Amino acid sequence: MIELRTAGELDAMRAAGAVVADMLAAVRAAAAPGVRLTQLDEVARDVLAAAGATSPFLGYAPLPTTPPFPGVVCLSVNDVALHGIPTPQVLEDGDLLSVDAGATLDGWVGDSATTFPVGAPRSEDLRLVDTAQRALEAGIAAAVVGNRVGDVSAAIGAVGRAGGCGINTDQGGHGVGRSMHEPPSVPNEGRAGRGVPLRAGLVIAIEPWFLAGGSDDYRVDADGWTLRSADGSRAAHVEHTVAVTEDGPRVLTAPR
């Protein structure tokens, strides 16, 4: 069942989203060559604790066969596109890091992600991140009353394909509310005019993740979580939790 949120509930979700924005900002500030991924996870945990929030990521296991996720953020480096585990891996100069964070505050969830270079950036990484960010902005712009989920998906996919990126729809956006993953599904490519109608009060996570090599294929590591590009090319992942309102899209995970 797809639930629509009241104005007061959207304000509560905005409070959770602000915590997520703070997590992403803190992790980005701490990320540098020589820093371990586990250290960045601790930074994110400190932000959650200070806000009185909890993590919807920690211990999450979508399937009985999936091991519980051990961190409060997903930290995906270079060819890792999604669900990177916070291991003791040390960041190196020139790495491309994607950070996916979530927070639960007063029973409401926020979910957001960002990608950025560590140390000296590569021009091709900056182009990939720019493409993903523009796709996110296009998806948000399409999240208006009267459109459908397919309009959001088509907007994202058009930007990604124009940028020569690989796009896979096995993983993508989703509804957000009392839990991290709710209906509807919001794929990163689709047909305009198709899918669930967008009504005021609907809250969705819009999250383009693109593969620089142009192939749509990926593989999952033996840990059951780490999703990598099949061709070894780098990946970018950006995301916001967005409410559809009569006044247009409201980004609930924007920085304070």
Side-chain angles (χ1 to χ4, degrees):
M1 178 184 295
I2 296 174
E3 296 190 40
L4 303 179
R5 308 302 178 185
T6 66
E9 289 172 336
L10 293 183
D11 288 342
M13 292 191 70
R14 168 56 185 156
V19 175
V20 178
D22 290 346
M23 293 171 71
L24 293 178
V27 170
R28 182 166 191 159
V35 173
R36 296 185 183 276
L37 299 184
T38 46
Q39 292 175 283
L40 297 182
D41 188 69
E42 288 298 328
V43 167
R45 289 173 190 251
D46 289 344
V47 174
L48 282 170
T54 59
S55 171
F57 289 17
L58 185 62
Y60 181 66
L63 299 172
T65 56
T66 307
F69 194 79
V72 301
V73 284
C74 298
L75 299 171
S76 304
V77 182
N78 297 335
D79 65 321
V80 178
L82 299 173
H83 309 153
I85 292 174
T87 67
Q89 177 181 344
V90 175
L91 290 171
E92 298 181 1
D93 188 52
D95 279 345
L96 186 63
L97 176 64
S98 296
V99 184
D100 189 359
T104 303
L105 184 66
D106 297 327
W108 296 101
V109 175
D111 187 10
S112 184
T114 187
T115 298
F116 55 88
V118 176
R122 300 183 181 187
S123 59
E124 59 268 31
D125 287 345
L126 295 178
R127 287 195 296 271
L128 175 63
V129 172
D130 177 70
T131 300
Q133 187 61 42
R134 288 188 291 106
L136 175 60
E137 293 167 359
I140 293 171
V144 296
V145 174
N147 272 358
R148 292 177 176 267
V149 164
D151 294 298
V152 176
S153 299
I156 293 168
V159 175
R161 293 299 183 191
C165 297
I167 304 173
N168 192 290
T169 56
D170 289 351
Q171 309 274 345
H174 48 85
V176 184
R178 291 288 188 180
S179 63
M180 182 168 56
H181 292 132
E182 299 183 355
S185 174
V186 186
N188 286 322
E189 194 168 34
R191 296 180 62 183
R194 299 295 182 90
V196 174
L198 303 183
R199 299 169 58 193
L202 177 65
V203 180
I204 53 176
I206 300 174
E207 53 176 317
W209 60 279
F210 293 161
L211 307 174
S215 170
D216 300 344
D217 297 331
Y218 67 87
R219 61 184 177 86
V220 180
D221 285 2
D223 60 28
W225 281 107
T226 306
L227 188 155
R228 300 178 184 272
S229 63
D231 60 8
S233 64
R234 293 191 170 195
H237 175 211
V238 294
E239 175 183 18
H240 272 307
T241 298
V242 180
V244 178
T245 79
E246 294 290 356
D247 298 321
R250 181 183 179 187
V251 179
L252 302 177
T253 45
R256 297 177 192 265

